[in-house]
């Protein structure tokens, strides 16, 4: 089934630990995005990639890093997790950067203790 | 301050009834506005998209309206069903950078 997959579905993590959230899409979309969703707030962009090999910072990039080695995969890494990074993380993709519908993955619920 | 404000934050409606959700935005210049539906534990899914020149767009029992002059949009749900229970998110795209501005969403609960 075409779409976006994310892993893990949920994770509880001790503060200070390193964590990588995985995202894979099979729609051959050029652009990919990472958002976090917190209660009472709209989705906020963490990092984005307009095409394989390029990445950019979004609205809330501090404490996160990304890479885009190929078209399909866009992992998000928390180098040293802190409790304020407790959130639900969504990966999304779109055919064109800055245009078109963004398709979202099912999300990863991350709790940092 | 969020540039996309949604109201109400939540509402409960009886199955079969209609409801209207509101979205006010200050984003400028404006490219398009989408309404997304987000089921609990899932990612958002697009319902409708409207550009500057469109006033109304329907998708089944969902009808979105847009007044670009007053910067207001609404989403009307007709004859609600239990499956309509979800969060509805208003998303506005800024012209220059293609950046998206997300509202916080309206949580709708449809009860039997």
């Amino acid at each position: 089934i075409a779409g976006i997959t994310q892993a893990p579905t949920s994770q509880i993590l001790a503060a200070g630990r390193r964590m990588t959230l995985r995202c894979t899409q099979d729609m051959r979309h050029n652009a990919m995005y990472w958002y976090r969703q917190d209660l009472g707030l709209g989705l906020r962009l963490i990092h984005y990639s307009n095409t394989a090999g390029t990445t950019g910072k979004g609205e809330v990039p501090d404490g996160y890093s990304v890479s885009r080695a190929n078209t399909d995969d866009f992992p998000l890494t928390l180098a040293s997790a802190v409790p304020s990074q407790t959130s639900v993380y969504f990966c999304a993709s779109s055919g064109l950067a800055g245009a078109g519908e963004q398709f979202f993955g099912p999300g990863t619920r991350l709790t940092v203790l | 301050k969020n540039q996309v404000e949604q109201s109400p934050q939540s509402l409960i409606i009886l199955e079969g009834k209609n409801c209207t959700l509101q979205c006010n935005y200050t984003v400028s210049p404006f490219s398009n506005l989408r309404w997304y539906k987000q089921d609990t534990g899932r990612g958002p899914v697009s319902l409708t998209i409207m550009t500057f020149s469109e006033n109304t767009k329907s998708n089944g029992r969902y009808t979105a309206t847009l007044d670009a002059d007053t910067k207001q949009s609404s989403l009307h749900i007709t004859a609600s069903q239990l499956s309509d229970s979800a969060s509805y998110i208003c998303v506005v795209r800024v012209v220059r950078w293609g950046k998206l501005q997300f509202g916080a969403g309206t949580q709708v609960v449809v009860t039997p």
Side-chain angles (χ1 to χ4, degrees):
Chain A
I1 298 177
I4 299 180
T5 57
Q6 293 184 234
T9 301
S10 65
Q11 182 75 44
I12 299 174
L13 189 66
R17 297 297 295 269
R18 180 184 180 89
M19 175 74 190
T20 296
L21 309 185
R22 300 184 298 278
C23 174
T24 300
Q25 55 103 359
D26 62 3
M27 297 177 284
R28 307 304 294 173
H29 282 171
N30 286 319
M32 296 187 75
Y33 314 85
W34 273 106
Y35 293 92
R36 59 177 289 171
Q37 186 177 40
D38 302 293
L39 192 64
L41 300 177
L43 277 83
R44 292 181 292 170
L45 183 64
I46 304 170
H47 285 287
Y48 64 93
S49 170
N50 289 337
T51 188
T54 69
T55 62
K57 294 182 179 180
E59 182 183 357
V60 288
D62 294 343
Y64 306 95
S65 64
V66 292
S67 62
R68 185 90 183 275
N70 57 61
T71 297
D72 299 344
D73 301 300
F74 191 42
L76 176 73
T77 297
L78 290 67
S80 179
V82 295
S84 62
Q85 292 178 311
T86 294
S87 187
V88 181
Y89 292 86
F90 288 98
C91 179
S93 71
S94 64
L96 293 174
E101 179 180 354
Q102 289 189 14
F103 295 85
F104 288 83
T108 293
R109 180 173 296 275
L110 181 67
T111 302
V112 183
L113 301 176
Chain B
K1 186 179 188 298
N2 196 345
Q3 296 183 60
V4 180
E5 298 285 347
Q6 293 188 239
S7 62
Q9 282 188 317
S10 63
L11 67 91
I12 300 173
I13 59 173
L14 290 174
E15 186 178 12
K17 297 297 185 181
N18 304 334
C19 68
T20 300
L21 317 180
Q22 299 292 338
C23 174
N24 296 335
Y25 62 93
T26 59
V27 172
S28 181
F30 160 84
S31 175
N32 60 54
L33 185 149
R34 284 185 189 270
W35 282 92
Y36 277 86
K37 179 186 180 188
Q38 184 177 18
D39 292 316
T40 300
R42 309 289 291 274
V45 176
S46 180
L47 288 175
T48 65
I49 177 174
M50 288 180 292
T51 61
F52 182 87
S53 60
E54 296 177 294
N55 300 118
T56 304
K57 183 71 70 74
S58 292
N59 178 0
R61 294 178 298 99
Y62 300 102
T63 299
T65 64
L66 173 65
D67 185 335
D69 291 331
T70 61
K71 297 185 177 180
Q72 295 179 327
S73 177
S74 66
L75 181 70
H76 186 76
I77 305 175
T78 302
S80 61
Q81 299 178 359
L82 297 178
S83 60
D84 293 330
S85 293
S87 178
Y88 293 84
I89 303 171
C90 176
V91 185
V92 180
R93 185 181 290 280
V94 182
V95 169
R96 186 173 183 181
W97 305 112
K99 180 183 176 182
L100 297 182
Q101 290 284 348
F102 290 80
T106 293
Q107 185 69 44
V108 174
V109 175
V110 181
T111 64

